[in-house]
Amino acid sequence: MIVGVPTEVKLDEYRVGLRPVGAEMLVQRGHSVLVQSGAGEGSGFPNEMYEAAGAKIVDSAEELWQKAEMIVKVKEPQATEVRQIREDQTVFTYFHFAADKDLTVGCLESKCIAAAYETLTDRHGRLPLLTPMSEIAGKLSVQEGAKYLERPQGGRGVLLGGVPGVEPGHVLILGGGVVGTCAATVAAGMGADVVILEVNIDRMRELGEFMPPNVRTIYSDPQSIREHLSWADLVVGAVLIPGAKAPHLISRADLVHMKPGAVIVDVAIDQGGCVETARVTTHSDPIYTVDGVVHYCVGNMPGSVARTSTQALTNATLPWVLKLAEHGPDALAKKDPHFAAAINTNRGVLTNQPVAQAHNLDFEPLAV
Ligand SMILES: NC(=O)c1ccc[n+]([C@@H]2O[C@H](COP(=O)([O-])OP(=O)(O)OC[C@H]3O[C@@H](n4cnc5c(N)ncnc54)[C@H](O)[C@@H]3O)[C@@H](O)[C@H]2O)c1
C-alpha cells in the first residue's frame, strides 16, 4: 500500500496524521510512505525524521494525492483537497460530514472511501479516536480560561487558585463527560472551587468517587444553571448529546447575571455551542465579548498544542492505519465492525445514516 501524509491546509492547523515512528512501522511491513515536505514541521517532526524512518518526502500536495492509495491526515479535507481525491482512494481523517454538505457531496463525487475517525467505535460503543482530542480540549479549556481571566486580556483579573487570605476562582463546568472531567481535574489542581453540572446521575456518582474535594457535582437544570452562572468566574461548556446539535443551556438574557469580565470557554462549539451567543472563532482571533462576558469559542482547540495532540491522536489512529494498510478498507470492514462504522462514503455511496438524514441524501448501508 502507498500511504500519503499531506500537510494540513486548514487555518491554524499544525497537527500531522502520522508520526515518523508510524512511517517506520509501515515501511517495516513492506508499505511505502510519502510525506509532503514540511507536513510534520508544526508538530516538531522535520522531514529528516521521516526520511530516517524510510519515508519519501514529496514536494507538492498534487503529487502526494496523485500517487497515494491511502491518505492519512487530521482535519476534514478542504475544498482544494477534495478536488484532488481520487476514485478508490482511502481517506482516513476527521470529516464531520453532518456539518458540511459540500464536503459530503464532494467525497461522494470523488468515489473515494471516506473512513472517518469520529465514527469509528470500540466494543463499549465509545468513539476512541475522538476521546484523545476531548481530553486535550478539556485540559486546554481551563488553561485558556485562566489566561483570559487576566485583566490585560479583558478578563476579571482573577487568579483561579487564589492565595492564602483570598478565595480561589469559581469554575462552572456544564457536562461531566471526557471534556468536563479533564477540565475539572486541571481547575481543581490549580486550587479553584469547581462545580460540574450533569444530567447523568450514574456519571455524577462515578465523578464523586475520584474527584478531589474542591469538585462538586450538581444536577443540571435551568435553575441550577442560573444560580451558578452568577457565582462563576469561568464557565466551560462541555455538554454533548450524541448526534445532535448542542443544547443552548445559556441564553443571551442569562449573561446579565454573570460577573463582568467572567469568561466562557464553549468547547462544544464544534456541535454548535451550548451558549446562545457562541460563534466559532480561530486561534488567531480566539475571543470576543458580549455584555461584558468574554467568549472563547475556538473550533479546533487541540490544534494549538500540536505536538501533544499529534502524539495523542496518532497513538489512537496508528493501529488502525497499520490494519488498513495490511488488509485494505473492504477486507478490514468485513473483518471488523468497528472499522466498518468509520466508513461514511464508499465509492459514491453514502453509508452513514445520520449524515444522509442531515443533508437529505440517499443512504445505503455498507455491504459487508
Ligand atoms: N472545540 C474543540 O476543539 C473540541 C475538541 C474536542 C471535543 N469538543 C466537543 O466537546 C463536547 C463534549 O465532548 P465530550 O467528549 O466531553 O462528550 P461526552 O459525551 O464525554 O460528555 C458530554 C456530557 O454532557 C452531559 N450532558 C448532556 N446534556 C447535559 C445538560 N443538559 N447539562 C449538563 N450536562 C449534560 C452528558 O451526560 C455527558 O456526560 C462535544 O461537543 C465535543 O465535540 C470540542
Side-chain angles (χ1 to χ4, degrees):
M1 176 85 82
I2 306 173
V3 180
V5 184
T7 305
E8 293 297 321
V9 293
K10 188 167 177 159
L11 182 68
D12 291 333
E13 185 52 68
Y14 303 102
R15 287 172 284 180
V16 62
L18 188 78
R19 279 188 289 153
V21 68
E24 181 185 324
M25 291 169 79
L26 282 164
V27 170
Q28 274 169 358
R29 286 161 174 74
H31 308 293
S32 307
V33 180
L34 306 178
V35 177
Q36 189 180 346
S37 182
E41 213 58 69
S43 299
F45 301 114
N47 289 349
E48 300 73 53
M49 289 181 76
Y50 287 99
E51 282 175 317
K56 183 170 179 262
I57 302 296
V58 298
D59 286 331
S60 72
E62 290 71 28
E63 184 184 350
L64 185 115
W65 285 88
Q66 194 50 46
K67 288 186 173 160
E69 293 164 279
M70 167 164 123
I71 295 284
V72 178
K73 56 189 261 75
V74 181
K75 291 308 289 181
E76 65 280 1
Q78 304 296 294
T80 52
E81 295 176 312
V82 174
R83 285 196 283 277
Q84 304 188 70
I85 301 176
R86 292 188 297 110
E87 187 166 345
D88 266 340
Q89 196 169 42
T90 301
V91 185
F92 193 36
T93 190
Y94 289 117
F95 283 95
H96 300 292
F97 278 122
D100 192 337
K101 186 166 184 176
D102 289 346
L103 175 65
T104 310
V105 172
C107 285
L108 286 169
E109 285 175 353
S110 75
K111 296 201 161 50
C112 73
I113 299 110
Y117 293 163
E118 70 272 12
T119 58
L120 190 144
T121 52
D122 68 11
R123 62 196 163 88
H124 306 289
R126 292 179 304 217
L127 305 169
L129 305 191
L130 260 193
T131 303
M133 296 304 102
S134 286
E135 289 168 335
I136 289 175
K139 292 193 168 187
L140 209 46
S141 65
V142 173
Q143 186 171 314
E144 295 296 333
K147 179 164 87 199
Y148 291 107
L149 273 172
E150 292 170 13
R151 188 72 193 155
Q153 306 286 344
R156 204 168 129 64
V158 166
L159 180 66
L160 280 184
V163 287
V166 182
E167 72 164 342
H170 298 166
V171 178
L172 174 64
I173 300 173
L174 302 170
V178 179
V179 169
T181 304
C182 288
T185 305
V186 171
M190 291 169 97
D193 198 359
V194 182
V195 168
I196 302 176
L197 296 184
E198 242 302 337
V199 285
N200 180 335
I201 294 176
D202 287 335
R203 181 64 188 153
M204 288 193 271
R205 281 199 188 98
E206 282 169 14
L207 289 167
E209 276 167 24
F210 65 85
M211 278 292 163
N214 52 339
V215 178
R216 290 172 287 140
T217 56
I218 291 183
Y219 190 78
S220 171
D221 59 34
Q223 185 183 340
S224 61
I225 294 173
R226 270 196 308 274
E227 281 172 10
H228 285 88
L229 278 180
S230 57
W231 165 88
D233 298 298
L234 169 61
V235 176
V236 176
V239 299
L240 176 67
I241 299 174
K245 243 173 124 330
H248 281 166
L249 301 182
I250 302 176
S251 69
R252 170 137 200 189
D254 290 329
L255 298 186
V256 296
H257 303 296
M258 294 184 68
K259 299 168 184 167
V263 175
I264 297 176
V265 176
D266 197 350
V267 184
I269 190 66
D270 60 344
Q271 296 291 124
C274 53
V275 181
E276 188 186 356
T277 44
R279 59 173 166 77
V280 73
T281 60
T282 63
H283 289 293
S284 314
D285 191 10
I287 60 159
Y288 60 95
T289 300
V290 180
D291 294 342
V293 176
V294 179
H295 292 51
Y296 173 102
C297 308
V298 173
N300 63 333
M301 293 177 69
S304 71
V305 287
R307 191 165 169 88
T308 304
S309 297
T310 290
Q311 287 170 318
L313 175 66
T314 56
N315 285 344
T317 54
L318 181 60
W320 292 101
V321 172
L322 296 174
K323 283 189 228 184
L324 248 174
E326 186 187 339
H327 302 288
D330 300 325
L332 185 57
K334 272 201 176 66
K335 230 170 98 78
D336 190 330
H338 299 304
F339 176 74
I343 298 187
N344 280 225
T345 74
N346 182 28
R347 301 173 178 90
V349 177
L350 183 51
T351 52
N352 181 293
Q353 196 160 27
V355 173
Q357 277 164 353
H359 301 313
N360 208 12
L361 292 168
D362 289 339
F363 158 75
E364 228 179 84
L366 187 71
V368 286

